[in-house]
Amino acid sequence: MKKTKLKRLAFGGLVMTVILVQTACKPSDLSKENLIPRPVSVSATGSSFDLTDQTDIFIQGESVELKQIGQYLADKLNPSTALGIEVKTTVDAPVPGNIFLSLSGSDAELGEEGYELTITGKTVNLVANKPAGLFRGVQTIRQLLPAKVEMGDKQKGPWKLATGVIRDYPAYGYRGSMLDVARHFFTVDEVKSLIDKLAYYKMNVLHLHLSDDQGWRIEIKSWPNLTAHGGKTEVGGGEGGFYTQEQYSDIVKYAQDRYITIVPEIDMPGHTNAALASYAELNCSGKATELYTGTEVGFSTFCTNKEVTYKFIDDVIRELAALTPGEYLHIGGDESHATKIEDYIPFMNRVQDMVIAHGKKVLAWDEIALATLKPNTVVQYWAKAENAIKGVAQGAKVLMSPAQNAYLDMQYDSTSVFGMHWAAYIEVDKGYNWDPANLVPEIKKENIMGIEAPLWSETISNLKEAEYLIFPRLSGYAEIGWTPVELRNWDNYKIRLASHGERMKAMNINFFPSKLVLWDSKDKK
Ligand code: TNX
């Protein structure tokens, strides 16, 4: 009798130990992982894969591109895990104990950026049609590991991945953010830091607003005074700055290595004071303006009926197109209140042709729909739905950046230190809770190229201040762009976002700790 009791006790103890060990060794349920963006499909198999000092990343064949992706993952995992993960090549199937990256090329559903991640107790097997898909899948692997994997120095393991299968691909092909480097200048390293975060949330475009009234930020060799003079200041009178073409190409390459396209914008015919201050001949008066460090809009315009204006623009577009591997050049076109509409329309028509002549497609703010859109011109909806609808009526695709929902420079609430509120206060739930395809009845999913969340920089002057406005809203925009609408809801998202607080801290991101989210206080894994 006693013996049985003892046995029972021992058995009970064993069960307890198993439960405790399992809890300590979380995660074991892939479906409970807090991934952002939420994947299209997840099926869990209930156990886990261990990263150990025996684990390496194997890539299929000798592809330089796959090696780079493997190395990117190794570089993300090694500082914190200190497991000495190396990148190796193999022609065979996954080798037990390792991570395996390969291309299959024949899974139509996965498209350009989709991936399938199969994790068993033995292997982590990531497959995609294209390298871009592997790169997106690598972000999922990062997010499946404990938050402290993102720390820059050695952390305590274990490093476990829950087992199961994730099949995942984006709802929209264009998922981006924009940084205004004209109102305040941001350094190359600051831009790279933002690119890293976009990559983490599977975004694929960074639009750079390179010129405005307050500054010209990209070197144009044929018009050197644009940066020598026009780049010298910024909002508030600070010293401004600009990117040399070499530095700019470095940003483009850094983004490319992360499967992110840079879309450069030269805003015109308004928002051009920096250029007008640098070259007298671009003014109808023939006199150069003063540099401007305030925050008014709508007072400047190129002289649309002078030929030199078009010679200038052609040179700028030619040099910019040569620096741009992506398909789009952005020509602004917003708030040209100082340009008569009868001048604005032929101007925008002519400049579109110039972009096309240099082998690129046009992106422009929604006012461009007042002109005649060329084939492939995309309208970026920011303010007036009626403009975007005019674009759709002309057969154009729309990029969705409605200021009331998607402007990262809008304050969270009336207590926000940075930002403005002319369009709205955008708390984290409001930023998340909308569907691009269900906002304006006339703009349907098939009319939409994607989503972009712009950050204007009148009120912010460095990366930390920018981060306060960007995070945690960015991950919501990333999810809107990636995850099918049926899988998106705030109650589910806010729990996943809560666990990303630790991830953002590990990445040293200065995020706004919204009270709407019950942020995890420590790394639970
Ligand atoms: C409107 S959005 C602008 C920008 C300002 C922004 C501030 C757009 C196309 N034009 O010039 O920076 O508001 O929120």
Side-chain angles (χ1 to χ4, degrees):
M1 192 63 180
K2 254 190 169 175
K3 248 187 173 174
T4 343
K5 244 188 182 172
L6 259 178
K7 264 189 188 166
R8 269 196 206 142
L9 268 174
F11 179 70
L14 188 71
V15 171
M16 276 302 286
T17 319
V18 169
I19 291 173
L20 282 174
V21 167
Q22 270 196 348
T23 332
C25 297
K26 273 205 309 182
S28 57
D29 187 349
L30 190 64
S31 65
K32 297 227 162 65
E33 288 299 334
N34 295 311
L35 296 166
I36 302 177
R38 189 179 188 176
V40 172
S41 98
V42 178
S43 63
T45 50
S47 60
S48 55
F49 173 91
D50 258 284
L51 287 182
T52 71
D53 56 7
Q54 300 299 302
T55 304
D56 285 316
I57 297 167
F58 281 79
I59 59 148
Q60 170 203 47
E62 290 296 326
S63 153
V64 175
E65 206 171 346
L66 262 58
K67 263 186 207 164
Q68 263 184 19
I69 296 170
Q71 195 56 52
Y72 170 95
L73 179 58
D75 291 345
K76 292 292 172 202
L77 304 184
N78 280 331
S80 53
T81 65
L83 294 174
I85 297 167
E86 289 175 20
V87 180
K88 299 179 172 166
T89 63
T90 175
V91 282
D92 303 320
V95 189
N98 295 295
I99 300 171
F100 186 59
L101 312 182
S102 65
L103 295 177
S104 95
S106 55
D107 194 329
E109 192 184 44
L110 296 183
E112 297 277 311
E113 289 182 278
Y115 63 91
E116 186 174 273
L117 177 62
T118 307
I119 304 168
T120 68
K122 291 208 169 101
T123 58
V124 175
N125 191 14
L126 179 61
V127 186
N129 293 330
K130 297 274 170 66
L134 289 179
F135 187 81
R136 306 293 173 230
V138 156
Q139 309 311 319
T140 300
I141 295 175
R142 289 172 70 187
Q143 290 194 12
L144 290 175
L145 286 161
K148 61 193 171 196
V149 78
E150 300 303 333
M151 306 279 278
D153 54 351
K154 188 175 170 183
Q155 304 293 313
K156 212 166 150 284
W159 305 101
K160 286 174 182 292
L161 291 157
T163 58
V165 182
I166 297 179
R167 275 181 67 79
D168 201 13
Y169 47 87
Y172 293 99
Y174 185 121
R175 306 173 307 281
S177 185
M178 185 208 82
L179 182 64
D180 170 8
V181 297
R183 269 52 176 274
H184 280 98
F185 181 66
F186 290 81
T187 65
V188 171
D189 283 345
E190 289 178 319
V191 176
K192 285 182 177 174
S193 169
L194 176 56
I195 290 171
D196 284 336
K197 310 308 181 309
L198 297 179
Y200 189 66
Y201 290 111
K202 300 189 173 77
M203 284 190 147
N204 63 2
V205 179
L206 176 63
H207 165 185
L208 289 175
H209 184 73
L210 290 168
S211 70
D212 212 302
D213 291 318
Q214 299 86 347
W216 187 284
R217 309 297 181 205
I218 175 76
E219 176 191 19
I220 300 295
K221 293 191 195 274
S222 52
W223 296 76
N225 212 34
L226 287 171
T227 44
H229 184 66
K232 260 203 320 228
T233 191
E234 60 184 11
V235 167
E239 69 179 20
F242 67 92
Y243 311 118
T244 63
Q245 292 200 354
E246 227 177 15
Q247 288 172 325
Y248 183 79
S249 294
D250 181 38
I251 293 174
V252 169
K253 169 78 169 56
Y254 190 86
Q256 246 180 340
D257 286 347
R258 284 149 188 77
Y259 299 88
I260 289 175
T261 305
I262 299 289
V263 173
E265 177 186 353
I266 298 297
D267 204 346
M268 60 183 107
H271 289 280
T272 43
N273 184 70
L276 297 167
S278 307
Y279 287 98
E281 60 266 46
L282 301 176
N283 295 270
C284 284
S285 68
K287 278 204 203 99
T289 60
E290 295 294 317
L291 290 173
Y292 180 70
T293 59
T295 59
E296 293 298 311
V297 297
F299 60 88
S300 57
T301 182
F302 282 148
C303 193
T304 57
N305 44 34
K306 265 186 167 178
E307 240 353 82
V308 65
T309 299
Y310 299 94
K311 163 81 178 112
F312 166 79
I313 293 170
D314 193 57
D315 286 339
V316 170
I317 290 175
R318 175 172 41 75
E319 290 195 35
L320 204 55
L323 296 169
T324 304
E327 18 175 22
Y328 290 99
L329 292 193
H330 202 302
I331 56 170
D334 59 312
E335 298 174 319
S336 288
H337 307 317
T339 323
K340 289 194 194 113
I341 187 73
E342 57 270 34
D343 295 333
Y344 177 85
I345 291 171
F347 175 87
M348 293 308 276
N349 289 345
R350 190 164 168 189
V351 176
Q352 286 182 78
D353 281 334
M354 292 159 87
V355 170
I356 294 163
H358 289 292
K360 299 294 173 188
K361 296 175 183 166
V362 175
L363 239 173
W365 300 109
D366 60 47
E367 290 93 325
I368 195 179
L370 301 170
T372 308
L373 302 180
K374 306 289 167 177
N376 299 319
T377 289
V378 173
V379 175
Q380 184 165 13
Y381 168 41
W382 70 281
K384 283 199 176 159
E386 62 186 80
N387 287 343
I389 293 165
K390 277 194 181 115
V392 170
Q394 293 194 56
K397 287 260 194 283
V398 178
L399 176 59
M400 296 296 283
S401 305
Q404 288 172 19
N405 308 76
Y407 263 27
L408 286 166
D409 65 319
M410 289 301 120
Q411 294 173 320
Y412 295 94
D413 57 35
S414 60
T415 67
S416 295
V417 192
F418 304 109
M420 316 197 223
H421 56 263
W422 63 263
Y425 289 114
I426 307 183
E427 244 292 7
V428 181
D429 58 343
K430 182 172 160 75
Y432 177 80
N433 254 333
W434 61 284
D435 175 17
N438 200 10
L439 194 66
V440 181
E442 292 87 344
I443 308 174
K444 307 200 164 45
K445 181 150 196 266
E446 62 267 26
N447 308 121
I448 298 175
M449 173 163 79
I451 158 171
E452 184 183 290
L455 179 63
W456 300 97
S457 64
E458 286 94 333
T459 65
I460 48 165
S461 61
N462 59 49
L463 184 64
K464 287 294 141 202
E465 294 171 1
E467 285 179 351
Y468 178 85
L469 289 173
I470 298 172
F471 303 97
R473 287 183 290 202
L474 185 85
S475 50
Y477 299 124
E479 178 149 313
I480 293 173
W482 182 283
T483 305
V485 64
E486 312 79 57
L487 291 180
R488 279 196 277 118
N489 76 74
W490 167 251
D491 287 333
N492 174 291
Y493 173 71
K494 77 175 178 199
I495 291 164
R496 285 178 288 121
L497 183 58
S499 91
H500 275 242
E502 288 304 311
R503 294 183 183 274
M504 289 188 279
K505 275 187 209 157
M507 288 187 232
N508 216 357
I509 295 175
N510 177 35
F511 65 98
F512 165 69
S514 167
K515 293 204 172 61
L516 302 179
V517 179
L518 292 167
W519 301 100
D520 287 3
S521 54
K522 61 178 168 40
D523 187 0
K524 289 195 217 148
K525 284 180 190 170

